[in-house]
Amino acid sequence: MIDQATIDKILSAATITDVVSEFVTLRRRGVNLVGLCPFHPERTPSFSVSPAKNICKCFSCGEGGDPLHFIMKHEQLSFQEALRFLAKKYHIEFEERELTDEEKRMQGDRESMFIVNSWAQKYFTSCLFEHEEGKTVGLAYFNERGFREDTVRKFQLGYSLENRDDLFRTALKNGYRKVFLEKTGLVSFHEDGTAHDRFRGRVIFPVHTLSGKVVAFGGRILRKNDKAAKYINSHESDIYHKSNELYGIYFARNAIRREDRCYLVEGYTDVISMHQAGLENVVASCGTALTQGQIRMIHRLTDNITVLYDGDAAGIKAAIKGIDLFLEEGMNVKVLLLPDGEDPDSFARKNSATEFAGYIRQHETDFIRFKASLLLSEAGDDPVRRASLVSDIIRSIAVIPEGIIRAEYVKECSRILDIREQALISSLNKERDKRHKALWKARQEPSAQPAAEPEKEDSPPPDATATTAAPSGRKMEISPYRACEETLLRYVVYSGEQILFDYMDGEERRIVKVAEYIRSELQDDEIAFSVPVHRRIMEEAVARCQEPDFVSSRHFLSHPDPEISRMTIHLMNPMYPFHFDAVWKAKEAFTAQKETVARLQQKETTDRPTRSETETVQELEEKERELRERINRFEHTLRRDLFALKEVHIRQKIAEIRHKIGALQQEGKTDDIIELMKEQTRLNEFKIELSRKLGERIILPSTGNRPS
């Protein structure tokens, strides 16, 4: 156990920016920083870090807290384990009393497995450097590969002795339990009870998590044995899922953030050789097919990835397989094929970091352009193969989430393939419709996917709930924020993609759309929607509102997620007379007449306009004034509804403070009461300021009614 004085010292030293930036690439946005949430998949950053308040918060999934809570959640650690993690990070020494046998038994299996793996890594390294067999076999192999001793020690490489059960016997002598040696896959047992070390006679490559824990091992056999696999890995366990791990990510994470690019290779030695050569922002998939979990781990650190492959035929085939997952995640993907006969390991040993990086810059190719050129050379003049080629490329473009990027790739492919752009767009739309229908069918098919548990609503404050019918017909407990949230979501589903502000910020043009404005306003006050489906609609609207063909209402009404489509139908119910879409129709009509206005106004400086032309100009100018008034009314109403939600949050906080004050009065804690009363006064002043900003009294909605 850690004493309270040391705990206070650890919590004082830990800063949220320092802790979170170990796992997430953060970018400045106003006084806060934002990045992709590490707790759920997303393409648009909604994870906010507040240095001033020393907390973090995801405005989509709701996860967040101080540095200690972040580490507990991200690393799945207990309170004491998270304290040890932070103490080590900030070099804070502390003393812990020895745990009793009972307390040791009560520690979780996961912690025990990590402890066993940590010991095993040290055992393997010791065998490599201190045992005669390790030095003559294992260390000689690493020397032959050109690995320096500092590199071998940095990556914690090792060697497992040929002896059948040396690791097992040594572990038992050191007090490690048989059950965890088996669970981690370090030892296997035959029916007669005899133990066999899994990695005996192999050089060892430890696999680390993003935070540096040893989660698994890879082993390469050195002696010729036709019956044994060249490489074996730890089996899946409670702590190791190979689809969520990347070799070298712990050693590469800082370089990836610094360079804003990640190099992806295939094997352990590729990573180590490139790292030793000076290219540290490199990770390996270790020969397994890429998974969404691995891709999202990279995406949290950078948007840019270059995939390096051998230059032979097998490498070329590998280069065009599986990378659609990167495109679907919204990442910028490039491909590099090395010269024939070279792999990243051999090429790194022959070239310096500057030479290797220069070669990459000169020869890396955008994935879509690479795929188009490659398949075009294969198809030749065969019309059937060329048609198949077009379909293949369109399938890759269709998975890209950003409409503007899709449009640019369509233009480029039109040029490369010498096909009309409109024909490609038509095929692209059909492919995307097919994808949406397939997704819808998969969600509706019970046999294809088990029914998920109903998503739980976030717990509202005490005595603040009411019961209502959800769009699906089931009863649910709601928070006092639901009515205001639904009001704001109506702006999103009716007009989320519409331009609200268009202005020049210095030399840069700023365009803010309705959905972006709403989320920005809420994020500034650290407010997140309390209902999960509300958060999903908002996040997707912001992520897609830049697409040129995106229409909020049409998109959400036909959404493949039935919960979102049902909620959209509920939001667009005629009982709620939202006619703000008429504003945008009027704006479109006036925009179409602008050329007429400009032409007639220009004529005033040359020839005298006719009476009818003068009346036309006056009529159009009057329409423009009416349009400005309607847009101003829209903005005013939107601000009013934003303030309404903010004030509900403030009132709820005030109610919670009053409840705490009442409890403290019974305990006689005067100092704590005074601090709470100061906070209550500050919140009351903020509530008054909200009303002043609006310029009128805000009438708060009762549950279920729209603000007046």
Side-chain angles (χ1 to χ4, degrees):
M1 300 291 289
I2 304 176
D3 62 273
Q4 187 59 46
T6 305
I7 292 175
D8 293 341
K9 188 176 180 180
I10 293 170
L11 297 181
S12 298
T15 63
I16 193 68
T17 305
D18 196 21
V19 172
V20 173
S21 61
E22 289 254 348
F23 308 96
V24 181
T25 295
L26 299 173
R27 293 178 174 83
R28 178 69 60 180
R29 179 184 288 171
V31 297
N32 295 335
L33 300 105
V34 297
L36 293 173
C37 179
F39 302 118
H40 82 286
E42 64 175 0
R43 299 188 182 99
T44 303
S46 60
F47 188 74
S48 178
V49 172
S50 173
K53 298 180 180 179
N54 206 36
I55 60 172
C56 59
K57 172 78 171 180
C58 177
F59 289 90
S60 181
C61 71
E63 289 291 350
D66 61 17
L68 183 65
H69 285 87
F70 176 85
I71 289 298
M72 289 173 66
K73 174 69 177 179
H74 189 276
E75 295 301 295
Q76 298 185 18
L77 300 177
S78 67
F79 178 79
Q80 293 290 332
E81 292 166 345
L83 285 172
R84 293 190 199 101
F85 181 99
L86 293 175
K88 182 179 179 182
K89 175 178 174 62
Y90 290 99
H91 308 289
I92 297 173
E93 295 183 0
F94 60 91
E95 293 184 2
E96 287 191 281
R97 65 173 174 82
E98 183 69 23
L99 297 178
T100 65
D101 291 340
E102 180 63 24
E103 287 172 329
K104 288 179 180 178
R105 283 194 294 272
M106 291 176 63
Q107 288 183 331
D109 285 4
R110 286 176 55 83
E111 182 184 0
S112 298
M113 292 171 72
F114 277 121
I115 291 172
V116 168
N117 273 351
S118 179
W119 172 84
Q121 177 269 308
K122 293 180 178 65
Y123 163 83
F124 290 136
T125 301
S126 173
C127 289
L128 179 70
F129 284 102
E130 299 173 14
H131 197 282
E132 189 61 32
E133 181 185 333
K135 288 188 285 187
T136 57
V137 180
L139 199 55
Y141 168 78
F142 289 133
N143 291 334
E144 183 183 339
R145 299 303 298 253
F147 297 161
R148 301 189 305 264
E149 182 176 333
D150 62 307
T151 302
V152 172
R153 291 191 181 276
K154 180 175 184 177
F155 281 86
Q156 300 175 356
L157 306 182
Y159 178 76
S160 182
L161 302 178
E162 281 278 4
N163 191 301
R164 185 189 67 185
D165 60 354
D166 188 80
L167 179 143
F168 175 65
R169 289 186 288 102
T170 306
L172 292 182
K173 287 179 184 178
N174 283 273
Y176 295 98
R177 294 168 58 190
K178 172 181 174 181
V179 61
F180 296 116
L181 292 168
E182 185 175 18
K183 279 190 172 184
T184 53
L186 290 165
V187 177
S188 60
F189 295 91
H190 290 296
E191 292 181 0
D192 60 1
T194 57
H196 292 265
D197 295 346
R198 178 177 178 83
F199 296 102
R200 63 187 183 278
R202 296 174 182 266
V203 287
I204 304 298
F205 301 87
V207 179
H208 299 79
T209 65
L210 191 61
S211 60
K213 290 184 175 182
V214 178
V215 72
F217 298 93
R220 185 194 192 281
I221 198 167
L222 298 182
R223 302 185 188 279
K224 187 174 181 180
N225 187 342
D226 296 335
K227 296 182 179 180
K230 182 178 180 181
Y231 279 97
I232 60 172
N233 303 299
S234 297
H235 60 59
E236 298 255 326
S237 67
D238 291 341
I239 62 172
Y240 176 56
H241 304 282
K242 63 182 179 181
S243 61
N244 293 331
E245 304 297 339
L246 288 164
Y247 183 72
I249 189 70
Y250 171 64
F251 303 102
R253 68 194 194 286
N254 292 330
I256 293 172
R257 281 195 293 262
R258 184 175 63 248
E259 302 293 334
D260 194 21
R261 177 168 296 279
C262 177
Y263 298 127
L264 177 67
V265 295
E266 287 189 276
Y268 304 123
T269 56
D270 295 331
V271 170
I272 298 171
S273 290
M274 288 182 66
H275 204 282
Q276 183 171 272
L279 295 175
E280 298 181 348
N281 51 327
V282 56
V283 298
S285 58
C286 299
T288 62
L290 284 168
T291 67
Q292 288 286 5
Q294 293 170 326
I295 291 169
R296 285 167 183 158
M297 186 185 298
I298 297 172
H299 198 187
R300 280 159 48 190
L301 302 174
T302 181
D303 290 331
N304 307 300
I305 186 160
T306 298
V307 186
L308 277 63
Y309 284 107
D310 304 348
D312 58 10
I316 294 174
K317 289 181 180 178
I320 61 174
K321 185 178 181 181
I323 302 185
D324 283 4
L325 292 174
F326 282 113
L327 298 173
E328 191 171 1
E329 189 66 19
M331 298 184 70
N332 305 318
V333 188
K334 293 185 181 295
V335 175
L336 175 71
L337 294 179
L338 294 170
D340 288 343
E342 298 282 8
D343 58 29
D345 175 20
S346 63
F347 200 71
R349 283 188 274 119
K350 295 176 183 177
N351 296 274
S352 67
T354 303
E355 293 169 337
F356 202 152
Y359 184 87
I360 292 173
R361 285 194 300 272
Q362 292 175 15
H363 295 86
E364 65 181 356
T365 307
D366 180 276
F367 172 65
I368 292 292
R369 295 181 179 91
F370 165 78
K371 188 172 184 176
S373 301
L374 176 68
L375 297 182
L376 188 63
S377 63
E378 291 182 355
D381 296 328
D382 187 333
V384 176
R385 295 189 68 182
R386 284 179 65 88
S388 176
L389 149 70
V390 173
S391 299
D392 196 345
I393 295 173
I394 288 297
R395 279 193 293 272
S396 292
I397 298 176
V399 305
I400 299 173
E402 292 294 332
I404 295 175
I405 298 176
R406 289 200 305 270
E408 287 300 313
Y409 277 132
V410 166
K411 289 180 183 178
E412 183 67 16
C413 287
S414 173
R415 183 188 64 79
I416 294 173
L417 303 175
D418 193 23
I419 296 177
R420 286 188 307 107
E421 189 176 325
Q422 192 55 47
L424 293 177
I425 292 174
S426 176
S427 298
L428 178 64
N429 290 336
K430 289 178 182 177
E431 182 62 32
R432 285 182 63 79
D433 286 344
K434 188 190 302 181
R435 284 174 53 80
H436 288 151
K437 289 176 182 176
L439 180 60
W440 173 270
K441 184 177 180 181
R443 289 177 182 272
Q444 300 301 310
E445 191 68 48
S447 59
Q449 183 177 352
E453 289 292 324
E455 197 163 13
K456 295 182 179 179
E457 310 296 345
D458 292 354
S459 299
D463 303 321
T465 59
T467 302
T468 187
S472 61
R474 63 183 176 90
K475 297 286 184 181
M476 66 168 66
E477 201 172 17
I478 66 170
S479 75
Y481 316 118
R482 178 184 291 273
C484 292
E485 290 176 7
E486 289 188 355
T487 296
L488 291 175
L489 277 179
R490 290 191 180 93
Y491 291 93
V492 174
V493 299
Y494 275 99
S495 311
E497 77 283 3
Q498 298 293 347
I499 296 175
L500 187 61
F501 302 114
D502 186 350
Y503 62 97
M504 296 300 296
D505 183 5
E507 297 182 356
E508 187 176 358
R509 185 185 180 193
R510 299 281 189 182
I511 295 177
V512 181
K513 301 198 173 182
V514 172
E516 295 172 324
Y517 173 72
I518 293 173
R519 193 180 73 162
S520 175
E521 279 289 310
L522 296 179
Q523 282 188 340
D524 286 346
D525 289 307
E526 299 184 356
I527 294 175
F529 282 162
S530 62
V531 182
V533 68
H534 292 178
R535 295 197 294 267
R536 296 205 304 274
I537 292 174
M538 173 60 76
E539 181 182 357
E540 188 163 346
V542 173
R544 304 194 62 173
C545 68
Q546 296 296 339
E547 298 180 8
D549 56 347
F550 179 70
V551 178
S552 298
S553 56
R554 184 175 65 196
H555 172 77
F556 288 115
L557 280 171
S558 59
H559 200 280
D561 185 335
E563 189 173 12
I564 288 179
S565 61
R566 285 196 298 266
M567 178 55 71
T568 305
I569 293 170
H570 167 69
L571 293 171
M572 300 185 74
N573 193 304
M575 289 175 61
Y576 301 95
F578 261 60
H579 301 302
F580 294 134
D581 54 336
V583 176
W584 312 115
K585 291 177 181 177
K587 186 177 180 181
E588 290 173 3
F590 178 78
T591 302
Q593 295 172 318
K594 271 189 174 180
E595 290 186 7
T596 304
V597 176
R599 179 175 55 80
L600 294 176
Q601 288 176 337
Q602 181 67 27
K603 189 173 182 180
E604 290 180 1
T605 63
T606 53
D607 303 325
R608 182 180 179 86
T610 64
R611 181 177 177 181
S612 63
E613 289 174 334
T614 302
E615 290 175 349
T616 301
V617 171
Q618 293 173 346
E619 180 183 344
L620 291 175
E621 288 176 345
E622 179 62 29
K623 284 184 178 180
E624 183 178 17
R625 282 192 293 272
E626 291 178 0
L627 177 61
R628 295 297 173 201
E629 289 177 3
R630 296 178 75 172
I631 292 177
N632 287 339
R633 286 197 298 271
F634 177 88
E635 294 173 7
H636 175 81
T637 309
L638 174 54
R639 285 198 301 273
R640 180 197 66 188
D641 291 334
L642 278 165
F643 292 156
L645 178 59
K646 292 179 181 181
E647 193 170 5
V648 171
H649 274 267
I650 292 172
R651 286 193 175 189
Q652 199 60 41
K653 288 179 181 178
I654 292 173
E656 292 171 3
I657 288 175
R658 287 173 180 166
H659 179 76
K660 291 178 182 178
I661 289 175
L664 291 172
Q665 284 174 338
Q666 296 178 359
E667 300 174 11
K669 296 183 178 180
T670 308
D671 292 341
D672 293 340
I673 292 173
I674 291 173
E675 290 300 317
L676 286 173
M677 291 180 71
K678 288 179 181 178
E679 177 66 10
Q680 183 178 350
T681 301
R682 188 188 68 81
L683 290 172
N684 278 320
E685 290 173 352
F686 187 36
K687 183 175 68 172
I688 294 170
E689 183 62 24
L690 279 178
S691 296
R692 285 176 181 169
K693 284 182 179 180
L694 182 59
E696 62 182 23
R697 174 70 178 150
I698 299 175
I699 308 298
L700 288 174
S702 59
T703 303
N705 295 325
R706 185 179 177 276
S708 59

